[in-house]
């Protein structure tokens, strides 16, 4: 596939076992496509990926097999499903033969008006089929730190992106915790033992606005083709999970002459542990990283559970979160603390840029026309003392007012290295360099922390907005350092020793 016009391809999607053709405009989302197919269980509630009323299941690659993954259909371009397999609430069961999730929701009184129910059912079904889900003693959110799991291993956080406005969550939780293991004759359980469909080269060119302007959606087969298109058409919009672009399309009416999908490029989906660096592919979703890293990068492990919802993390990518240049993205503070570097690729080759030097202004970066983020590197070894703190109005599924990432090394009671990343306190994410300099070489004790906290409160240029005032942000910065210190004492048991 070149940057020149090619013959338009057909976009075929397998929905509930039936192949259907998407023939709408390139900007159309999967929700509108499915409802146009009379699959009206899929609903629009917010059009921003916050309510989950549009949740559907997509077969995604999971090693040699596949995994039923719940995603927001309102954000996902319909064309991105070319060649893929989708299950909606209608495909899970029927009135005469309810799916176990649907049956438990009915038995436990988990539905009233029913508007949100199909979305809940699809998110619950994804968790129902999750390979790692096994019966075990129930775990409370307080004990686990983030997730609450029932005795059947059902992670209630799988429903963090689904909102119910009339029933209340108790009967929905009861339904989730009543689910057993899938039966041996369950066709959707058997499906995960086979690989997911391969990516399909897609090229759609159709009228995309009321004025008849032509839009184009493409999926190249490899990175080289992608870079060639990007070089020839530097105004092309790169889309991975579409969790940001989908909102622009739905809420702001954004349209693009050229959209290029990069979410399934194999070169952008690798995780490599080297001697000096850990390299993460820019198109790995946050849920995939969470599973595959399995806590081996503690700071990222603390970030994942606080990043939006499971529905969003199933689509959102590291490259996408950094590519927007947003000052309130959740990943930059953590990655700044980890001294991350970005691999920027173009037809001219690759160059490596420190994340601390990547942001140049509000939603502006050093990325040049024709360049894209292909990987994120973190130097090894990793710091032992880490934390991610997100201050927001809600504990989960919210935008941060302030976010702070910490990575500190202490040797023989002295702070030998401190790296602190900040978000929400300036026009760009940034390092708290004055605080870092004050901490390094000092003793790891409360006096040092208190002295550094006053400096921390003056980092950045906080402003007043609808999420928080500048004075509140300053106070949160100062207190976050003391909170970080208290967390480390608690984990090490030093707090008990000092109080005894």
């Amino acid at each position: 596939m070149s940057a020149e016009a090619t013959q338009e391809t057909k976009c075929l999607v397998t929905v509930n076992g039936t192949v259907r053709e998407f023939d709408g405009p390139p900007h159309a989302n999967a929700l509108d496509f499915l409802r146009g197919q009379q699959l009206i269980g899929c609903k629009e509630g917010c059009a921003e990926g916050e309510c989950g009323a549009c949740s559907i299941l997509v077969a995604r690659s999971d090693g040699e097999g596949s995994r039923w993954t719940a995603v927001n259909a309102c954000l996902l371009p319909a064309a991105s499903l070319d060649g893929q397999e989708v299950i909606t609430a209608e495909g899970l069961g029927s009135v005469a033969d309810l799916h176990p999730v649907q049956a438990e929701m009915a038995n436990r009184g988990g539905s009233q008006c029913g508007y949100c129910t199909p979305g809940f059912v699809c998110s619950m079904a994804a968790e129902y089929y999750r390979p790692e889900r096994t019966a075990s003693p129930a775990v409370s959110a307080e004990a686990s730190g983030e997730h609450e799991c029932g005795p059947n291993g059902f992670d209630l956080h799988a429903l963090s992106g689904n909102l119910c406005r009339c029933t209340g969550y108790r009967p929905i939780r009861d339904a989730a915790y009543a689910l057993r293991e899938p039966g041996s004759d369950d066709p959707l359980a058997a499906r995960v033992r086979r690989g997911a469909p391969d990516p399909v080269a897609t090229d759609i060119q159709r009228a995309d606005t009321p004025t008849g302007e032509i839009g184009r959606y493409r999926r190249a087969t490899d990175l080289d083709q992608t870079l060639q298109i990007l070089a020839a058409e530097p105004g092309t919009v790169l889309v991975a999970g579409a969790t940001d672009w989908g909102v622009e399309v739905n809420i702001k009416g954004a349209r693009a002459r050229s959209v290029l999908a990069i979410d399934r490029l194999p070169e952008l989906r690798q995780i490599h542990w080297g001697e000096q660096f850990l390299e993460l592919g820019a198109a790995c979703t946050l849920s995939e990283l969470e599973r595959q890293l399995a806590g081996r990068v503690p700071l990222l492990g603390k970030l994942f559970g606080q990043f939006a919802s499971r529905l969003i993390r199933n689509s959102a990518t590291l490259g996408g979160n950094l590519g927007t240049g947003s000052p309130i993205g959740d990943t930059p503070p953590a990655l700044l603390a980890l001294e991350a570097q970005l691999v920027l690729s173009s037809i001219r080759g690759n160059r490596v840029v420190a994340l601390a030097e990547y942001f140049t202004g509000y939603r502006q970066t050093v990325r040049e026309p024709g360049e894209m983020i292909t990987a994120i590197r973190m130097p090894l070894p990793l710091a032992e003392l880490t934390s991610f703190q997100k201050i927001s109005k809600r504990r989960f599924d919210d935008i941060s007012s302030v976010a702070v990432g910490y990575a500190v090394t202490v040797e023989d009671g002295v702070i030998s290295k401190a790296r602190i990343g900040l978000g929400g306190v300036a026009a760009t994410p940034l390092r708290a360099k004055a605080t870092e300099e004050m901490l390094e070489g000092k003793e790891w004790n409360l006096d040092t922390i208190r002295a550094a906290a006053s400096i921390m409160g003056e980092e950045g240029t906080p402003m007043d907005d609808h999420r928080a005032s500048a004075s509140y942000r300053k106070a949160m910065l100062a207190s976050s350092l003391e909170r970080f210190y208290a967390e480390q004492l608690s984990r090490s048991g030093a707090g008990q020793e000092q109080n005894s």
Side-chain angles (χ1 to χ4, degrees):
M1 183 187 299
S2 70
E4 299 178 357
T6 59
Q7 184 175 1
E8 181 178 325
T9 61
K10 281 191 173 184
C11 182
L12 303 177
V13 188
T14 301
V15 184
N16 301 332
T18 300
V19 177
R20 302 170 187 249
E21 182 178 358
F22 165 65
D23 58 2
H27 77 268
N29 58 43
L31 168 65
D32 290 341
F33 163 59
L34 293 170
R35 291 185 64 81
Q37 299 289 314
Q38 303 305 308
L39 297 170
I40 57 176
C42 199
K43 304 290 199 299
E44 180 179 292
C46 66
E48 295 183 282
E50 293 185 359
C51 75
C54 64
S55 175
I56 60 174
L57 299 175
V58 179
R60 293 270 177 86
S61 177
D62 188 33
E64 295 182 357
S66 57
R67 173 183 299 255
W68 288 115
T69 304
V71 297
N72 293 111
C74 73
L75 300 178
L76 199 65
S80 72
L81 295 174
D82 189 11
Q84 304 306 297
E85 295 178 29
V86 173
I87 298 292
T88 69
E90 293 91 342
L92 287 172
S94 65
V95 175
D97 184 20
L98 291 177
H99 186 275
V101 170
Q102 295 168 324
E104 289 300 342
M105 282 286 278
N107 293 338
R108 310 283 167 168
S111 177
Q112 280 191 24
C113 82
Y115 196 90
C116 70
T117 304
F120 264 102
V121 165
C122 285
S123 292
M124 291 172 71
E127 177 65 10
Y128 176 68
Y129 291 115
R130 180 170 62 91
E132 301 87 358
R133 184 180 71 87
T134 56
S136 60
V139 179
S140 68
E142 289 75 14
S144 67
E146 298 294 344
H147 303 291
E148 178 179 338
C149 294
N152 60 350
F154 191 103
D155 183 358
L156 204 61
H157 201 58
L159 306 182
S160 62
N162 295 83
L163 301 182
C164 172
R165 294 175 174 85
C166 57
T167 304
Y169 294 96
R170 179 60 182 270
I172 296 173
R173 185 184 69 173
D174 291 345
Y177 289 174
L179 292 168
R180 300 181 180 180
E181 296 295 316
S184 58
D185 58 345
D186 188 324
L188 295 182
R191 172 63 187 83
V192 300
R193 293 192 285 272
R194 306 195 311 273
D198 293 328
V200 174
T202 303
D203 192 352
I204 295 174
Q205 303 173 70
R206 296 170 191 163
D208 206 31
T209 67
T211 63
E213 184 175 358
I214 299 299
R216 191 175 188 182
Y217 181 99
R218 277 171 288 183
R219 182 188 299 281
T221 56
D222 57 35
L223 180 59
D224 286 342
Q225 290 182 345
T226 299
L227 295 177
Q228 289 172 14
I229 294 172
L230 198 57
E233 304 173 42
T236 293
V237 175
L238 297 176
V239 173
T243 55
D244 188 78
W245 176 245
V247 176
E248 295 288 312
V249 170
N250 293 342
I251 304 302
K252 298 183 180 181
R255 301 291 183 267
R257 285 191 174 186
S258 175
V259 172
L260 188 58
I262 60 173
D263 56 311
R264 305 195 73 197
L265 290 176
E267 299 93 335
L268 272 62
R269 295 183 48 75
Q270 306 297 317
I271 296 177
H272 177 67
W273 289 87
E275 293 184 2
Q276 296 182 315
F277 292 97
L278 163 62
E279 185 168 292
L280 307 177
C284 292
T285 70
L286 298 187
S287 289
E288 290 168 341
L289 291 173
E290 185 177 10
R291 288 196 303 270
Q292 295 181 45
L293 293 178
R296 296 174 68 186
V297 184
L299 179 48
L300 293 184
K302 295 162 188 171
L303 158 71
F304 290 138
Q306 299 180 64
F307 189 107
S309 66
R310 175 61 67 192
L311 280 170
I312 293 295
R313 295 199 299 276
N314 284 343
S315 294
T317 64
L318 277 186
N321 201 235
L322 297 170
T324 64
S326 171
I328 53 173
D330 282 345
T331 64
L335 293 172
L336 283 167
L338 293 171
E339 298 183 283
Q341 302 171 353
L342 304 185
V343 179
L344 303 180
S345 302
S346 69
I347 60 172
R348 301 179 295 276
N350 298 334
R351 65 181 178 122
V352 179
V353 175
L355 183 59
E357 300 171 1
Y358 174 70
F359 303 101
T360 58
Y362 179 71
R363 291 189 178 272
Q364 297 177 337
T365 71
V366 300
R367 195 152 48 92
E368 298 175 353
E371 277 190 325
M372 61 182 288
I373 303 171
T374 53
I376 297 90
R377 291 178 180 172
M378 285 162 281
L380 300 174
L382 301 169
E384 293 184 2
L385 306 182
T386 61
S387 179
F388 178 77
Q389 298 178 20
K390 178 175 177 175
I391 294 90
S392 55
K393 294 182 179 180
R394 296 193 303 265
R395 184 179 180 190
F396 297 119
D397 200 9
D398 200 5
I399 295 173
S400 64
S401 300
V402 176
V404 187
Y406 289 97
V408 175
T409 301
V410 176
E411 299 176 302
D412 298 325
V414 175
I415 303 169
S416 59
K417 187 175 183 179
R419 293 293 181 266
I420 306 172
L422 306 178
V425 296
T428 69
L430 72 160
R431 287 250 307 273
K433 292 188 176 181
T435 306
E436 294 172 356
E437 291 175 4
M438 191 278 169
L439 288 170
E440 291 181 348
K442 303 296 193 306
E443 292 186 10
W444 173 245
N445 58 36
L446 187 56
D447 289 338
T448 298
I449 297 301
R450 284 175 173 167
S454 61
I455 297 174
M456 182 81 158
E458 299 302 317
E459 296 278 11
T461 55
M463 62 180 287
D464 296 322
D465 63 18
H466 64 284
R467 293 192 182 92
S469 65
S471 59
Y472 178 80
R473 287 185 163 100
K474 287 176 177 288
M476 290 302 97
L477 284 177
S479 64
S480 75
L481 189 56
E482 296 180 353
R483 178 181 171 187
F484 168 66
Y485 181 70
E487 285 178 356
Q488 305 312 314
L489 290 184
S490 176
R491 291 192 181 107
S492 67
Q496 289 86 343
E497 295 175 8
Q498 290 186 2
N499 292 329
S500 62

